Amino acid sequence: MRTYGSSRPVAMVAAAVAAGVVLAGCGGGGGPRPVTGEEAQQLALVRLTTYEQSPVALRLRIPGPVAATTVDAVLDFRTRRATGTYRVPGTAGAPAASGALAWDDRTVAVDPDGGGTGWARRAAGRDPLDRALLLALRLGHDRPENAQLLARGGATRLGERRLDGTSYTVFGGPHPPRRPGEAPPAGGSALSYWVDAGGGLRRVEARLTPGAPPVTVDVLGRAAPGRGTAGPQPAGSR
Protein backbone atom coordinates (compact mmCIF):
# COMPACT_ATOMS: atom_id res chain seq x y z
CA MET A 1 0.00 0.00 0.00
CA ARG A 2 1.29 3.46 -0.85
CA THR A 3 1.59 5.75 2.16
CA TYR A 4 2.14 9.48 2.50
CA GLY A 5 3.88 11.89 4.80
CA SER A 6 2.91 12.32 8.44
CA SER A 7 -0.48 12.19 10.16
CA ARG A 8 0.43 15.08 12.48
CA PRO A 9 -1.41 17.81 10.48
CA VAL A 10 -4.72 15.92 10.69
CA ALA A 11 -4.14 15.42 14.40
CA MET A 12 -3.59 19.17 14.67
CA VAL A 13 -6.99 19.75 13.07
CA ALA A 14 -8.60 17.48 15.63
CA ALA A 15 -6.77 19.18 18.47
CA ALA A 16 -7.86 22.59 17.19
CA VAL A 17 -11.41 22.04 18.37
CA ALA A 18 -10.17 21.11 21.88
CA ALA A 19 -10.85 18.28 24.30
CA GLY A 20 -14.43 17.19 24.87
CA VAL A 21 -15.60 17.74 21.29
CA VAL A 22 -18.33 15.30 20.25
CA LEU A 23 -18.74 14.13 16.67
CA ALA A 24 -21.99 14.84 14.87
CA GLY A 25 -23.63 11.53 13.93
CA CYS A 26 -24.40 10.44 10.39
CA GLY A 27 -26.78 7.87 9.04
CA GLY A 28 -26.60 5.48 6.15
CA GLY A 29 -24.24 2.73 5.10
CA GLY A 30 -24.94 0.39 8.03
CA GLY A 31 -23.45 2.57 10.75
CA PRO A 32 -19.91 3.72 11.54
CA ARG A 33 -17.00 1.38 10.85
CA PRO A 34 -13.23 1.66 10.48
CA VAL A 35 -12.06 2.92 7.11
CA THR A 36 -10.77 0.47 4.53
CA GLY A 37 -7.31 0.88 3.02
CA GLU A 38 -8.81 2.56 -0.07
CA GLU A 39 -10.89 4.93 2.08
CA ALA A 40 -7.84 5.82 4.18
CA GLN A 41 -6.00 6.71 0.97
CA GLN A 42 -8.92 8.91 -0.08
CA LEU A 43 -9.01 10.65 3.29
CA ALA A 44 -5.22 11.12 3.20
CA LEU A 45 -5.54 13.31 0.10
CA VAL A 46 -8.46 15.49 1.21
CA ARG A 47 -6.50 18.32 2.79
CA LEU A 48 -3.97 18.42 -0.07
CA THR A 49 -6.82 18.63 -2.59
CA THR A 50 -8.35 21.49 -0.61
CA TYR A 51 -5.00 23.28 -0.40
CA GLU A 52 -4.53 23.02 -4.17
CA GLN A 53 -7.86 24.80 -4.77
CA SER A 54 -6.65 27.82 -2.80
CA PRO A 55 -7.90 30.50 -2.52
CA VAL A 56 -11.23 28.90 -1.63
CA ALA A 57 -14.62 30.32 -0.77
CA LEU A 58 -15.93 29.24 2.62
CA ARG A 59 -19.12 29.62 4.58
CA LEU A 60 -18.96 29.05 8.33
CA ARG A 61 -21.95 28.74 10.62
CA ILE A 62 -21.18 29.07 14.31
CA PRO A 63 -24.16 28.42 16.61
CA GLY A 64 -24.59 30.75 19.57
CA PRO A 65 -26.81 30.76 22.64
CA VAL A 66 -29.44 32.89 20.84
CA ALA A 67 -28.50 33.11 17.14
CA ALA A 68 -25.89 31.67 14.78
CA THR A 69 -23.07 33.72 13.29
CA THR A 70 -22.51 33.22 9.56
CA VAL A 71 -19.13 34.01 8.02
CA ASP A 72 -18.58 34.18 4.25
CA ALA A 73 -14.89 34.35 3.46
CA VAL A 74 -12.06 33.72 1.04
CA LEU A 75 -9.16 31.76 2.53
CA ASP A 76 -5.70 31.39 1.05
CA PHE A 77 -3.97 28.34 2.53
CA ARG A 78 -0.62 29.41 1.09
CA THR A 79 -0.55 32.67 3.08
CA ARG A 80 -2.78 31.29 5.88
CA ARG A 81 -4.96 34.39 5.81
CA ALA A 82 -8.69 34.82 5.29
CA THR A 83 -10.97 37.79 4.72
CA GLY A 84 -14.72 38.13 4.42
CA THR A 85 -17.88 39.25 6.15
CA TYR A 86 -19.94 38.17 9.14
CA ARG A 87 -23.57 38.56 10.07
CA VAL A 88 -25.69 37.76 13.11
CA PRO A 89 -29.50 37.96 12.75
CA GLY A 90 -31.44 40.19 15.09
CA THR A 91 -33.43 38.72 17.94
CA ALA A 92 -35.97 40.05 20.41
CA GLY A 93 -33.14 40.90 22.79
CA ALA A 94 -30.43 42.11 20.41
CA PRO A 95 -30.21 43.92 17.06
CA ALA A 96 -28.71 42.35 13.96
CA ALA A 97 -24.98 42.81 13.47
CA SER A 98 -22.70 42.56 10.45
CA GLY A 99 -19.32 43.73 9.24
CA ALA A 100 -15.98 42.69 7.80
CA LEU A 101 -13.72 40.04 9.26
CA ALA A 102 -10.12 38.92 8.68
CA TRP A 103 -7.95 36.37 10.46
CA ASP A 104 -4.74 34.39 10.44
CA ASP A 105 -3.10 31.85 12.77
CA ARG A 106 -2.66 34.34 15.59
CA THR A 107 -5.09 37.24 15.23
CA VAL A 108 -8.68 38.15 14.38
CA ALA A 109 -9.55 41.60 12.98
CA VAL A 110 -13.09 42.99 12.90
CA ASP A 111 -14.51 46.06 11.16
CA PRO A 112 -18.10 46.46 12.45
CA ASP A 113 -18.89 49.09 9.82
CA GLY A 114 -17.58 46.96 6.97
CA GLY A 115 -16.01 49.96 5.26
CA GLY A 116 -12.42 48.85 5.64
CA THR A 117 -11.33 51.78 7.82
CA GLY A 118 -12.36 50.65 11.30
CA TRP A 119 -10.35 47.48 11.78
CA ALA A 120 -9.72 46.38 15.36
CA ARG A 121 -7.27 43.52 15.78
CA ARG A 122 -7.03 41.14 18.74
CA ALA A 123 -5.34 37.88 19.57
CA ALA A 124 -7.28 34.76 18.60
CA GLY A 125 -9.04 33.36 21.66
CA ARG A 126 -10.94 30.28 22.79
CA ASP A 127 -14.53 31.34 22.11
CA PRO A 128 -16.49 29.30 19.53
CA LEU A 129 -16.07 31.90 16.76
CA ASP A 130 -12.28 32.05 17.05
CA ARG A 131 -11.97 28.29 17.34
CA ALA A 132 -14.07 27.87 14.18
CA LEU A 133 -11.93 30.41 12.29
CA LEU A 134 -8.71 28.63 13.30
CA LEU A 135 -10.23 25.29 12.35
CA ALA A 136 -10.90 26.62 8.84
CA LEU A 137 -7.23 27.57 8.42
CA ARG A 138 -6.22 23.95 9.07
CA LEU A 139 -8.45 22.34 6.43
CA GLY A 140 -5.81 22.64 3.72
CA HIS A 141 -2.26 21.32 3.83
CA ASP A 142 0.54 21.26 1.26
CA ARG A 143 1.21 17.51 1.44
CA PRO A 144 -0.85 14.32 1.82
CA GLU A 145 -1.31 12.55 5.12
CA ASN A 146 -0.04 9.07 5.97
CA ALA A 147 -2.96 6.78 5.11
CA GLN A 148 -1.82 3.92 7.33
CA LEU A 149 -1.50 6.20 10.35
CA LEU A 150 -4.94 7.69 9.67
CA ALA A 151 -6.45 4.21 9.76
CA ARG A 152 -4.55 3.21 12.89
CA GLY A 153 -5.51 6.51 14.53
CA GLY A 154 -9.21 5.67 14.46
CA ALA A 155 -10.51 7.22 11.22
CA THR A 156 -14.02 5.93 10.49
CA ARG A 157 -16.55 5.82 7.71
CA LEU A 158 -19.75 7.25 9.16
CA GLY A 159 -22.10 6.84 6.21
CA GLU A 160 -23.49 8.57 3.15
CA ARG A 161 -25.26 11.93 3.18
CA ARG A 162 -26.75 14.15 0.48
CA LEU A 163 -26.31 17.90 0.18
CA ASP A 164 -27.67 20.07 -2.64
CA GLY A 165 -28.44 16.95 -4.67
CA THR A 166 -24.95 15.43 -4.38
CA SER A 167 -24.00 12.35 -2.37
CA TYR A 168 -21.03 12.55 0.00
CA THR A 169 -19.15 9.98 2.04
CA VAL A 170 -18.80 11.22 5.61
CA PHE A 171 -15.63 10.29 7.49
CA GLY A 172 -14.70 10.75 11.11
CA GLY A 173 -11.09 11.88 11.35
CA PRO A 174 -8.47 10.20 13.52
CA HIS A 175 -8.38 10.77 17.25
CA PRO A 176 -5.94 13.38 18.60
CA PRO A 177 -2.65 11.91 19.89
CA ARG A 178 -3.04 10.12 23.25
CA ARG A 179 -0.66 8.98 25.93
CA PRO A 180 0.06 5.22 25.99
CA GLY A 181 -2.89 3.38 27.51
CA GLU A 182 -5.20 6.42 27.33
CA ALA A 183 -8.70 5.65 26.02
CA PRO A 184 -10.04 7.51 22.96
CA PRO A 185 -12.40 10.41 23.71
CA ALA A 186 -16.08 9.71 24.31
CA GLY A 187 -18.15 10.23 21.17
CA GLY A 188 -15.39 9.30 18.72
CA SER A 189 -13.52 11.68 16.43
CA ALA A 190 -13.46 15.44 16.86
CA LEU A 191 -14.49 16.14 13.27
CA SER A 192 -16.53 14.80 10.39
CA TYR A 193 -15.46 15.34 6.77
CA TRP A 194 -17.95 15.28 3.86
CA VAL A 195 -16.04 14.07 0.78
CA ASP A 196 -17.37 13.84 -2.78
CA ALA A 197 -16.76 11.04 -5.28
CA GLY A 198 -13.73 12.88 -6.68
CA GLY A 199 -12.08 13.26 -3.28
CA GLY A 200 -13.02 16.93 -2.80
CA LEU A 201 -13.91 18.29 0.63
CA ARG A 202 -17.38 19.83 0.78
CA ARG A 203 -18.14 20.21 4.47
CA VAL A 204 -16.59 19.79 7.89
CA GLU A 205 -18.63 19.58 11.10
CA ALA A 206 -17.44 19.80 14.69
CA ARG A 207 -19.28 20.00 17.99
CA LEU A 208 -17.49 22.44 20.27
CA THR A 209 -19.93 21.79 23.12
CA PRO A 210 -21.59 18.45 23.94
CA GLY A 211 -25.29 18.59 23.06
CA ALA A 212 -24.96 21.81 21.06
CA PRO A 213 -25.45 22.10 17.27
CA PRO A 214 -22.21 21.59 15.34
CA VAL A 215 -20.05 24.28 13.85
CA THR A 216 -20.24 23.87 10.07
CA VAL A 217 -17.56 24.86 7.55
CA ASP A 218 -18.69 24.57 3.93
CA VAL A 219 -15.98 24.55 1.25
CA LEU A 220 -17.60 26.14 -1.80
CA GLY A 221 -14.77 25.72 -4.29
CA ARG A 222 -12.12 28.02 -5.70
CA ALA A 223 -12.93 31.66 -5.03
CA ALA A 224 -13.79 33.88 -7.95
CA PRO A 225 -11.29 36.72 -8.61
CA GLY A 226 -12.06 39.78 -6.50
CA ARG A 227 -14.09 37.96 -3.88
CA GLY A 228 -13.56 38.71 -0.20
CA THR A 229 -12.54 41.98 1.41
CA ALA A 230 -9.18 43.71 1.32
CA GLY A 231 -8.68 43.20 5.05
CA PRO A 232 -6.18 44.95 7.31
CA GLN A 233 -2.44 44.74 6.89
CA PRO A 234 -0.98 41.48 8.29
CA ALA A 235 0.17 41.67 11.88
CA GLY A 236 3.72 43.01 12.11
CA SER A 237 3.63 44.74 8.71
CA ARG A 238 4.37 48.46 8.32
Side-chain angles (χ1 to χ4, degrees), residues 84-170:
T85 59
Y86 70 90
R87 63 184 184 277
V88 185
T91 65
S98 62
L101 185 70
W103 73 96
D104 56 29
D105 283 320
R106 297 177 297 153
T107 62
V108 177
V110 178
D111 178 3
D113 295 327
T117 59
W119 290 104
R121 192 192 304 274
R122 57 175 172 77
R126 298 295 301 160
D127 63 84
L129 172 63
D130 288 11
R131 289 163 67 189
L133 299 179
L134 293 176
L135 168 65
L137 287 176
R138 293 175 169 87
L139 296 183
H141 191 59
D142 62 359
R143 60 181 62 88
E145 314 299 343
N146 184 308
Q148 292 180 337
L149 293 182
L150 291 181
R152 290 204 299 266
T156 54
R157 181 187 182 278
L158 300 173
E160 297 287 328
R161 296 290 294 272
R162 293 188 68 81
L163 179 65
D164 297 334
T166 300
S167 181
Y168 297 89
T169 302
V170 184

Side-chain angles (χ1 to χ4, degrees), residues 1-6 36-45 48 52 143-152:
M1 178 186 296
R2 185 181 178 187
T3 60
Y4 304 97
S6 166
T36 65
E38 182 177 353
E39 290 165 345
Q41 295 280 7
Q42 182 183 22
L43 187 58
L45 292 170
L48 174 63
E52 290 177 338
R143 60 181 62 88
E145 314 299 343
N146 184 308
Q148 292 180 337
L149 293 182
L150 291 181
R152 290 204 299 266

Side-chain angles (χ1 to χ4, degrees), residues 21-29 31-33 156-162 168-172 186-194 203-207 209-216:
V21 174
V22 179
L23 178 68
C26 297
R33 60 163 173 75
T156 54
R157 181 187 182 278
L158 300 173
E160 297 287 328
R161 296 290 294 272
R162 293 188 68 81
Y168 297 89
T169 302
V170 184
F171 294 103
S189 170
L191 301 169
S192 60
Y193 299 82
W194 297 43
R203 170 174 286 184
V204 170
E205 290 183 326
R207 290 191 188 275
T209 305
V215 165
T216 301

